[in-house]
């Protein structure tokens, strides 16, 4: 972690214990995840026990304790989505990417996550890619969606 960037994050806050979540949000946004090093530094700066920092960082889905891929695919496995075929969506992504929920592909392109409800039950099965909701998903649509991301990445790499 860049110490200067981290100092800036803390300077922008008042280093008060009640700002723990805001500081963790800043760290997540800046680095894409919250490392052990970051948790230790936040603990020290805010005067919050490191176990509490870990508890909060581990509790909220918005925080990641490991680096995420450039694209995050979230498959809802809640009851409403489950009965509409969510397990087939999860199998499709697993098959295409060769990873399990919570894992990131070796090229750091994709992270796969699963959640228990996205609050859009009537639209299931729902998959979220990089924050965008895709309702009524099918394995075929999902395959094309992943392929379109791969294609877009190839085009960006070719232009660079
Ligand atoms: S169960 Fe999937 S959105 Fe609610």
């Amino acid at each position: 972690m860049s110490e200067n960037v981290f100092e800036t994050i803390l300077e922008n806050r008042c280093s008060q214990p009640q700002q723990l979540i805001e500081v963790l949000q800043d760290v997540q946004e800046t680095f894409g995840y919250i490392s052990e090093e970051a948790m230790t530094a936040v603990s020290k700066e805010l005067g919050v026990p490191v176990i509490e920092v870990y508890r909060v960082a581990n509790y909220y889905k918005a925080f990641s304790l490991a680096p995420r891929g450039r694209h995050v695919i979230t498959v809802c496995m809640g009851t409403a989505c489950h009965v509409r075929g969510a397990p087939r969506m999860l199998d499709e992504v697993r098959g295409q990417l060769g990873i399990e929920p919570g894992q990131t592909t070796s090229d750091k392109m994709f992270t796969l996550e699963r959640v228990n409800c996205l609050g859009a039950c009537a639209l299931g099965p729902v998959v979220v890619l990089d924050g965008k909701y895709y309702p009524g998903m099918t394995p075929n649509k999902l395959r094309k969606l992943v392929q379109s991301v791969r294609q877009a990445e190839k085009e960006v790499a070719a232009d660079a």
Side-chain angles (χ1 to χ4, degrees):
M1 168 183 296
S2 165
E3 212 156 283
N4 288 341
V5 174
F6 190 68
E7 282 172 11
T8 304
I9 288 171
L10 289 168
E11 276 171 18
N12 289 339
R13 302 292 177 184
C14 301
S15 293
Q16 298 295 313
Q18 60 269 25
Q19 291 194 307
L20 175 58
I21 290 177
E22 287 91 341
V23 170
L24 290 178
Q25 284 173 330
D26 291 346
V27 172
Q28 175 72 45
E29 197 170 292
T30 304
F31 298 101
Y33 76 111
I34 301 169
S35 65
E36 270 187 51
E37 181 189 3
M39 284 190 267
T40 302
V42 168
S43 165
K44 192 173 157 194
E45 287 297 323
L46 301 186
V48 175
V50 73
I51 188 70
E52 178 64 8
V53 176
Y54 173 80
R55 190 191 66 75
V56 171
N58 193 43
Y59 179 78
Y60 291 101
K61 276 275 177 203
F63 299 142
S64 175
L65 303 184
R68 283 179 169 156
R70 295 186 294 284
H71 304 282
V72 178
I73 299 176
T74 306
V75 178
C76 180
M77 293 297 285
T79 305
C81 287
H82 195 277
V83 298
R84 292 185 170 115
R88 290 186 298 131
M89 305 313 125
L90 195 57
D91 287 347
E92 177 62 36
V93 182
R94 279 178 173 142
Q96 279 202 58
L97 304 181
I99 55 173
E100 294 296 318
Q103 295 181 336
T104 297
T105 54
S106 57
D107 61 2
K108 308 281 185 243
M109 192 181 291
F110 292 101
T111 293
L112 172 59
E113 295 182 341
R114 58 180 285 171
V115 293
N116 290 327
C117 186
L118 291 160
C121 307
L123 306 174
V126 181
V127 171
V128 178
L129 171 66
D130 297 336
K132 183 176 178 189
Y133 281 52
Y134 292 86
M137 191 50 82
T138 66
N140 195 35
K141 285 185 195 171
L142 189 49
R143 187 175 317 117
K144 287 179 180 163
L145 186 62
V146 171
Q147 286 169 352
S148 73
V149 172
R150 281 196 168 125
Q151 184 61 36
E153 286 252 343
K154 266 188 203 164
E155 288 170 13
V156 168
D159 289 345

